[in-house]
């Protein structure tokens, strides 16, 4: 049976993906790892402290647990990467190269690595952005994700590594705090709706960006990982989409549950990052090749978020 190593498991996606894989494959078959302690939801459960930039340690963990598949989620996200560009490059690219090399050398049966809509830039067609188009990202994070996509494609073509990847939009979840991305405001807005009934947004109220609820993101990931290799036609990274939202849209949806909820907007440096990204994504290749379909619209997501956070 397959044995997974989740790198970056303590983060927003890692926590939910590890839980979902453990429910499906059993706790002993899914080893969580991170620089930081595991989030409460992952305890108890097998855990290794691991820095993905240290290849020797990565290889030792893979051998110790007889790992067959790695999900490498360790990353410095968009807003934080602008404040630590060199560290972001080190974690996002050298970390990925360590994983790809270990996959080739051991060999492993599969690597999953997330890209992002941040690979696109201001020259990209912003509406229904196609799978293949002009990229030219302007952020350190986007540059690292685009380079990572090319490395994934290269390791597949040159060394036959079974690499699979998704360009996630902004992810919205309730189990863990988000880790420094430009779309974090959406998660925070739900938290503040429950606590304070008001929110100050760092993006303008009409800034439209692509988002996805965490359950859809986890399902997309597991579906792609388990698809027959012959159906995977994109080895750089697939566009995946669910809903495009602005702070104003989310506030309106929250008001159906909390009619007094107020937002005000004070845009900061993240407005420029958001302005360079697409407003909506064309994910028809993912839907055609391996049957991707999202389940959550805005109101279903809002009801779930407020229910989970309000308890
Ligand atoms: P996060 O910041 O919540 O989690 C990342 C985890 O990686 C953290 O727990 C952190 O401690 C860990 N980490 C950082 N440096 C490390 C290192 N050197 N070695 C080992 N672990 C390290 O991020 P997330 O939101 O869970 O994102 C997961 C992946 O999905 C990332 O690749 C990210 O770029 C991608 N992604 C996320 C979003 C989003 O909205 N959250 C959108 C697009 C793409």
């Amino acid at each position: 049976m397959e044995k997974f190593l989740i790198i970056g498991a303590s983060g927003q996606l890692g926590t939910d993906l590890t839980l979902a894989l453990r429910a499906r494959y059993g706790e002993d078959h899914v080893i969580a790892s991170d620089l930081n302690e595991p989030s409460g939801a992952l305890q108890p459960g097998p855990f290794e402290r691991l820095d993905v930039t240290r290849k020797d340690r990565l290889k030792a963990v893979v051998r110790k647990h007889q790992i067959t598949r790695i999900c490498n989620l360790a990353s410095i996200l968009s807003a934080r990467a602008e404040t630590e560009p060199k560290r972001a490059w080190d974690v996002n690219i050298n970390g990925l190269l360590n994983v790809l090399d270990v996959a080739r050398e051991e060999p492993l049966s599969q690597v999953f690595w997330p890209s992002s809509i941040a690979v696109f830039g201001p020259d990209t067609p912003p509406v229904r952005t196609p799978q293949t188009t002009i990229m030219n990202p302007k952020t350190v994070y986007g540059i690292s994700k685009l380079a990572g996509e090319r490395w994934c494609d290269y390791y597949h073509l040159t060394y036959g590594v079974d690499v699979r990847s998704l360009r996630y939009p902004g992810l919205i979840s309730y189990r863990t705090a988000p880790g420094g991305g430009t779309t974090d405001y959406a998660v925070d807005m739900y938290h503040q709706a429950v606590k304070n009934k008001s929110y100050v947004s760092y993006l303008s109220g009409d800034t439209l960006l692509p988002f996805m609820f965490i359950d859809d993101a986890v399902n997309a990931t597991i579906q792609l990982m388990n698809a027959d290799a012959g159906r995977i036609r994109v080895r750089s990274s697939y566009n995946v989409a669910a809903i495009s939202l602005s702070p104003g849209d989310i506030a309106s949806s929250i008001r159906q549950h909390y009619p007094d909820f107020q937002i005000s907007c004070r845009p900061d440096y993240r407005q420029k990052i958001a302005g360079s990204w697409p407003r909506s994504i064309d994910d028809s290749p993912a839907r055609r090749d391996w049957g991707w379909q999202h389940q959550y619209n805005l109101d279903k997501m809002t009801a779930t978020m407020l229910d989970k956070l309000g308890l």
Side-chain angles (χ1 to χ4, degrees):
M1 194 180 189
E2 299 286 356
K3 199 155 182 196
F4 296 81
L5 175 66
I6 315 296
I7 305 173
S10 307
Q12 187 190 11
L13 175 64
T15 297
D16 280 87
L17 182 61
T18 304
L19 288 173
L21 289 172
R22 283 183 177 168
R24 183 180 274 240
Y25 294 94
E27 195 172 87
D28 292 345
H29 288 267
V30 185
I31 313 301
S33 73
D34 203 288
L35 275 184
N36 295 321
E37 284 298 314
S39 47
L42 296 186
Q43 297 176 16
F47 179 82
E48 293 280 352
R49 199 175 279 263
L50 172 66
D51 180 343
V52 73
T53 63
R54 289 206 34 216
K55 187 181 165 194
D56 50 348
R57 168 86 180 124
L58 170 62
K59 206 165 210 178
V61 169
V62 164
R63 289 187 172 171
K64 176 180 165 190
H65 293 281
Q66 299 177 307
I67 297 298
T68 61
R69 291 186 186 190
I70 292 181
C71 300
N72 175 28
L73 313 180
S75 179
I76 306 297
L77 270 63
S78 58
R80 248 180 79 204
E82 292 303 300
T83 65
E84 321 178 68
K86 299 278 168 52
R87 179 155 170 261
W89 183 260
D90 192 30
V91 174
N92 297 2
I93 289 299
N94 293 329
L96 170 64
L97 285 171
N98 286 341
V99 170
L100 292 172
D101 279 335
V102 168
R104 177 188 164 204
E105 289 158 12
E106 286 305 300
L108 302 183
S109 63
Q110 194 183 92
V111 169
F112 175 79
W113 171 81
S115 184
S116 160
I117 57 160
V119 291
F120 300 115
D123 303 326
T124 302
V127 177
R128 288 193 57 75
T129 299
Q131 174 70 42
T132 304
T133 185
I134 300 167
M135 314 292 273
N136 298 345
K138 298 295 179 202
T139 61
V140 171
Y141 178 68
I143 293 167
S144 72
K145 288 295 188 187
L146 181 53
E149 287 189 7
R150 299 327 314 162
W151 277 119
C152 288
D153 197 46
Y154 182 84
Y155 269 68
H156 175 70
L157 280 173
T158 312
Y159 306 119
V161 177
D162 184 355
V163 197
R164 302 177 183 208
S165 175
L166 296 171
R167 289 174 181 152
Y168 295 120
L171 302 181
I172 298 185
S173 71
Y174 52 87
R175 278 202 181 86
T176 49
T182 302
T183 52
D184 289 2
Y185 85 84
V187 177
D188 212 19
M189 195 183 284
Y190 286 111
H191 280 270
Q192 295 307 319
V194 172
K195 274 197 232 152
N196 300 323
K197 311 282 183 288
S198 69
Y199 180 69
V200 182
S201 167
Y202 55 76
L203 298 184
S204 65
D206 60 355
T207 306
L208 200 58
L209 287 172
F211 281 94
M212 184 179 284
F213 186 56
I214 192 75
D215 290 12
D216 276 337
V218 166
N219 286 341
T221 307
I222 295 177
Q223 208 182 332
L224 176 67
M225 290 196 307
N226 288 340
D228 287 345
R231 296 178 66 184
I232 313 293
R233 289 197 246 178
V234 175
R235 291 294 184 159
S236 51
S237 191
Y238 273 101
N239 277 7
V240 276
I243 28 182
S244 286
L245 304 170
S246 68
D249 294 331
I250 299 175
S252 301
S253 182
I254 289 174
R255 273 191 215 106
Q256 293 174 27
H257 303 260
Y258 295 96
D260 298 336
F261 180 68
Q262 299 290 335
I263 64 162
S264 51
C265 299
R266 245 179 266 144
D268 67 13
Y269 69 101
R270 288 167 282 196
Q271 184 70 46
K272 194 170 164 205
I273 299 178
S276 75
W277 289 352
R279 296 197 279 279
S280 61
I281 299 288
D282 174 6
D283 61 355
S284 45
R287 291 178 191 260
R288 181 196 61 215
D289 290 358
W290 44 275
W292 159 240
Q293 263 185 311
H294 69 281
Q295 302 295 328
Y296 281 79
N297 62 20
L298 171 57
D299 288 341
K300 186 175 171 191
M301 176 174 75
T302 296
T304 309
M305 285 296 287
L306 295 179
D307 179 45
K308 298 290 185 189
L309 295 174
L311 292 176

